[in-house]
PDB file of all heavy atoms in Angstrom:
ATOM      1  N   SER A 733     -28.735 -21.736  25.208  1.00  0.00           N
ATOM      2  CA  SER A 733     -28.723 -21.873  26.663  1.00  0.00           C
ATOM      3  C   SER A 733     -27.862 -23.068  27.094  1.00  0.00           C
ATOM      4  O   SER A 733     -27.155 -23.009  28.109  1.00  0.00           O
ATOM      5  CB  SER A 733     -30.149 -22.020  27.198  1.00  0.00           C
ATOM      6  OG  SER A 733     -30.781 -23.168  26.641  1.00  0.00           O
ATOM      7  N   GLY A 734     -27.891 -24.167  26.329  1.00  0.00           N
ATOM      8  CA  GLY A 734     -27.064 -25.319  26.659  1.00  0.00           C
ATOM      9  C   GLY A 734     -25.579 -25.007  26.521  1.00  0.00           C
ATOM     10  O   GLY A 734     -24.758 -25.419  27.357  1.00  0.00           O
ATOM     11  N   THR A 735     -25.213 -24.271  25.474  1.00  0.00           N
ATOM     12  CA  THR A 735     -23.814 -23.885  25.295  1.00  0.00           C
ATOM     13  C   THR A 735     -23.374 -22.931  26.396  1.00  0.00           C
ATOM     14  O   THR A 735     -22.241 -23.000  26.891  1.00  0.00           O
ATOM     15  CB  THR A 735     -23.615 -23.232  23.910  1.00  0.00           C
ATOM     16  OG1 THR A 735     -24.087 -24.122  22.889  1.00  0.00           O
ATOM     17  CG2 THR A 735     -22.160 -22.916  23.660  1.00  0.00           C
ATOM     18  N   ASN A 736     -24.266 -22.035  26.796  1.00  0.00           N
ATOM     19  CA  ASN A 736     -23.969 -21.119  27.890  1.00  0.00           C
ATOM     20  C   ASN A 736     -23.665 -21.892  29.181  1.00  0.00           C
ATOM     21  O   ASN A 736     -22.688 -21.609  29.878  1.00  0.00           O
ATOM     22  CB  ASN A 736     -25.157 -20.174  28.101  1.00  0.00           C
ATOM     23  CG  ASN A 736     -24.975 -19.266  29.299  1.00  0.00           C
ATOM     24  OD1 ASN A 736     -23.971 -18.573  29.412  1.00  0.00           O
ATOM     25  ND2 ASN A 736     -25.949 -19.285  30.211  1.00  0.00           N
ATOM     26  N   GLN A 737     -24.500 -22.882  29.485  1.00  0.00           N
ATOM     27  CA  GLN A 737     -24.305 -23.659  30.702  1.00  0.00           C
ATOM     28  C   GLN A 737     -22.996 -24.451  30.643  1.00  0.00           C
ATOM     29  O   GLN A 737     -22.271 -24.564  31.637  1.00  0.00           O
ATOM     30  CB  GLN A 737     -25.487 -24.603  30.914  1.00  0.00           C
ATOM     31  CG  GLN A 737     -25.467 -25.329  32.257  1.00  0.00           C
ATOM     32  CD  GLN A 737     -25.538 -24.366  33.429  1.00  0.00           C
ATOM     33  OE1 GLN A 737     -26.459 -23.544  33.512  1.00  0.00           O
ATOM     34  NE2 GLN A 737     -24.559 -24.462  34.340  1.00  0.00           N
ATOM     35  N   LEU A 738     -22.685 -24.982  29.475  1.00  0.00           N
ATOM     36  CA  LEU A 738     -21.446 -25.738  29.318  1.00  0.00           C
ATOM     37  C   LEU A 738     -20.233 -24.851  29.583  1.00  0.00           C
ATOM     38  O   LEU A 738     -19.291 -25.260  30.276  1.00  0.00           O
ATOM     39  CB  LEU A 738     -21.365 -26.326  27.911  1.00  0.00           C
ATOM     40  CG  LEU A 738     -20.049 -27.040  27.566  1.00  0.00           C
ATOM     41  CD1 LEU A 738     -19.880 -28.286  28.416  1.00  0.00           C
ATOM     42  CD2 LEU A 738     -19.987 -27.385  26.083  1.00  0.00           C
ATOM     43  N   LEU A 739     -20.246 -23.635  29.052  1.00  0.00           N
ATOM     44  CA  LEU A 739     -19.116 -22.734  29.250  1.00  0.00           C
ATOM     45  C   LEU A 739     -18.962 -22.368  30.727  1.00  0.00           C
ATOM     46  O   LEU A 739     -17.841 -22.279  31.241  1.00  0.00           O
ATOM     47  CB  LEU A 739     -19.289 -21.472  28.397  1.00  0.00           C
ATOM     48  CG  LEU A 739     -18.127 -20.474  28.411  1.00  0.00           C
ATOM     49  CD1 LEU A 739     -16.827 -21.140  27.977  1.00  0.00           C
ATOM     50  CD2 LEU A 739     -18.428 -19.271  27.509  1.00  0.00           C
ATOM     51  N   ILE A 740     -20.087 -22.187  31.400  1.00  0.00           N
ATOM     52  CA  ILE A 740     -20.022 -21.889  32.836  1.00  0.00           C
ATOM     53  C   ILE A 740     -19.454 -23.083  33.604  1.00  0.00           C
ATOM     54  O   ILE A 740     -18.623 -22.926  34.508  1.00  0.00           O
ATOM     55  CB  ILE A 740     -21.416 -21.501  33.361  1.00  0.00           C
ATOM     56  CG1 ILE A 740     -21.842 -20.145  32.765  1.00  0.00           C
ATOM     57  CG2 ILE A 740     -21.429 -21.429  34.886  1.00  0.00           C
ATOM     58  CD1 ILE A 740     -23.266 -19.753  33.076  1.00  0.00           C
ATOM     59  N   ASP A 741     -19.864 -24.292  33.233  1.00  0.00           N
ATOM     60  CA  ASP A 741     -19.362 -25.482  33.911  1.00  0.00           C
ATOM     61  C   ASP A 741     -17.866 -25.681  33.673  1.00  0.00           C
ATOM     62  O   ASP A 741     -17.131 -26.112  34.571  1.00  0.00           O
ATOM     63  CB  ASP A 741     -20.127 -26.719  33.444  1.00  0.00           C
ATOM     64  CG  ASP A 741     -21.590 -26.703  33.892  1.00  0.00           C
ATOM     65  OD1 ASP A 741     -21.903 -25.942  34.836  1.00  0.00           O
ATOM     66  OD2 ASP A 741     -22.403 -27.419  33.287  1.00  0.00           O
ATOM     67  N   LEU A 742     -17.415 -25.378  32.449  1.00  0.00           N
ATOM     68  CA  LEU A 742     -15.992 -25.520  32.155  1.00  0.00           C
ATOM     69  C   LEU A 742     -15.160 -24.497  32.925  1.00  0.00           C
ATOM     70  O   LEU A 742     -14.002 -24.762  33.261  1.00  0.00           O
ATOM     71  CB  LEU A 742     -15.743 -25.348  30.643  1.00  0.00           C
ATOM     72  CG  LEU A 742     -16.258 -26.466  29.731  1.00  0.00           C
ATOM     73  CD1 LEU A 742     -16.108 -26.065  28.276  1.00  0.00           C
ATOM     74  CD2 LEU A 742     -15.520 -27.762  30.005  1.00  0.00           C
ATOM     75  N   ASP A 743     -15.728 -23.342  33.169  1.00  0.00           N
ATOM     76  CA  ASP A 743     -15.083 -22.262  33.928  1.00  0.00           C
ATOM     77  C   ASP A 743     -13.668 -21.963  33.430  1.00  0.00           C
ATOM     78  O   ASP A 743     -12.695 -22.037  34.184  1.00  0.00           O
ATOM     79  CB  ASP A 743     -15.039 -22.612  35.419  1.00  0.00           C
ATOM     80  CG  ASP A 743     -14.648 -21.404  36.272  1.00  0.00           C
ATOM     81  OD1 ASP A 743     -14.827 -20.272  35.783  1.00  0.00           O
ATOM     82  OD2 ASP A 743     -14.165 -21.606  37.394  1.00  0.00           O
ATOM     83  N   PRO A 744     -13.531 -21.624  32.137  1.00  0.00           N
ATOM     84  CA  PRO A 744     -12.188 -21.316  31.631  1.00  0.00           C
ATOM     85  C   PRO A 744     -11.752 -19.888  31.953  1.00  0.00           C
ATOM     86  O   PRO A 744     -10.653 -19.478  31.575  1.00  0.00           O
ATOM     87  CB  PRO A 744     -12.364 -21.496  30.115  1.00  0.00           C
ATOM     88  CG  PRO A 744     -13.783 -21.082  29.868  1.00  0.00           C
ATOM     89  CD  PRO A 744     -14.568 -21.513  31.089  1.00  0.00           C
ATOM     90  N   GLY A 745     -12.611 -19.115  32.626  1.00  0.00           N
ATOM     91  CA  GLY A 745     -12.287 -17.722  32.901  1.00  0.00           C
ATOM     92  C   GLY A 745     -12.481 -16.839  31.694  1.00  0.00           C
ATOM     93  O   GLY A 745     -11.918 -15.738  31.622  1.00  0.00           O
ATOM     94  N   GLN A 746     -13.275 -17.282  30.744  1.00  0.00           N
ATOM     95  CA  GLN A 746     -13.520 -16.521  29.526  1.00  0.00           C
ATOM     96  C   GLN A 746     -15.004 -16.532  29.215  1.00  0.00           C
ATOM     97  O   GLN A 746     -15.752 -17.402  29.689  1.00  0.00           O
ATOM     98  CB  GLN A 746     -12.755 -17.135  28.347  1.00  0.00           C
ATOM     99  CG  GLN A 746     -11.246 -17.044  28.497  1.00  0.00           C
ATOM    100  CD  GLN A 746     -10.534 -17.894  27.459  1.00  0.00           C
ATOM    101  OE1 GLN A 746     -10.848 -19.069  27.289  1.00  0.00           O
ATOM    102  NE2 GLN A 746      -9.585 -17.305  26.768  1.00  0.00           N
TER     103      GLN A 746
END
Side-chain angles (χ1 to χ4, degrees):
S733 60
T735 305
N736 175 54
Q737 188 62 55
L738 175 66
L739 185 57
I740 292 173
D741 293 341
L742 290 172
D743 192 22
Q746 295 169 310

